[in-house]
Every structure is written in C-alpha cells, then in structure tokens.
Amino acid sequence: MSLLAALADRVLGARIPDDELPHPVPPGVVVRRSRLIPALGGVFMGGSRRPAGAVTLGHTILCNEGQTLTDDLLVHELVHVEQWEKDPLFALKYCAEWFRHGYRQNPYEQDAYARQREYAARKHQSVPPRPL
C-alpha cells in the first residue's frame, strides 16, 4: 500500500472492496467507511443530531460506519457523484442551495431522492435502472 493510500485510509476511512458493494459503481468511484465526515454532514448539512448515512466528495462516497450500505443509498450517492462531475462549482452551489432551502428542499437532494425512488421502483419491477 502506498503512503498516499495509507493516508487516505487513515483520514477518510477504509475502502470498501467493490465485491462487497450492493450495487456496481463506475470506474474511479471509491466507497469508504467513515465516521467523522458523515457525522459532520448530518449535523451541519442535514440539520440532524444523527450522522448522515453517507456523504459524497467528488468521486469518493463516505458511508457512515453505523449505516447499512444499501443499493438505494449507494444509488442516491452516485447521483451526487454525477452532480460533482457535471459542475466544478457543485460544492459551492450545493451549500448555497442548502442555505436557501434547507436539506430536504435542496434541489440537488431532491434530484438524488427522486432518482433513488425511481431506482427502487424499477428494481421491484425487475427493470434495470437508467444509467447514472
């Protein structure tokens, strides 16, 4: 393991191997178990006393250590990966929308929850979800 990989594991949390994920992720996306960042995300961004289920930073999804990583949650976070890819100012715009509308009414969250619901409905129909 390289020094950089060891540092990432130490700071961001251990990487979850792809074969342990409930849903495939695109190349370059890394999913990790983390405690600190989801806790901060839940308190500051989610307005909750509980940690967030997961937080996405670019191509890295940080899943709360106490959260079961379901395929629905992973699909939700993959929408955020897509949002990061489409807009280099995503983090700033996300925060601005959070200040303006709060967590649940944030358009970026509404998009992710809508896509998560669409995925959940389709998986029960045995229809593959649209690509993320």
Side-chain angles (χ1 to χ4, degrees), residues 40-123:
L40 293 174
V43 171
F44 292 110
M45 299 304 282
S48 171
R49 293 184 191 161
R50 299 183 335 213
V55 173
T56 299
L57 301 173
H59 288 93
T60 302
I61 298 169
L62 302 167
C63 182
N64 179 354
E65 290 179 342
Q67 175 75 39
T68 300
L69 182 58
T70 63
D71 55 343
D72 290 357
L73 176 58
L74 191 54
V75 166
H76 177 103
E77 296 305 321
L78 286 170
V79 173
H80 292 315
V81 169
E82 192 177 81
Q83 292 166 341
W84 277 90
E85 288 175 344
K86 288 180 180 176
D87 189 348
L89 298 176
F90 168 72
L92 293 173
K93 291 179 179 178
Y94 181 99
C95 289
E97 293 297 333
W98 176 80
F99 279 118
R100 188 175 299 135
H101 303 290
Y103 175 77
R104 282 288 182 182
Q105 299 305 315
N106 183 328
Y108 295 108
E109 287 299 334
Q110 288 185 330
D111 180 33
Y113 278 110
R115 299 274 295 280
Q116 180 181 353
R117 284 189 302 273
E118 178 184 317
Y119 170 79
R122 287 177 177 237
K123 79 177 178 180

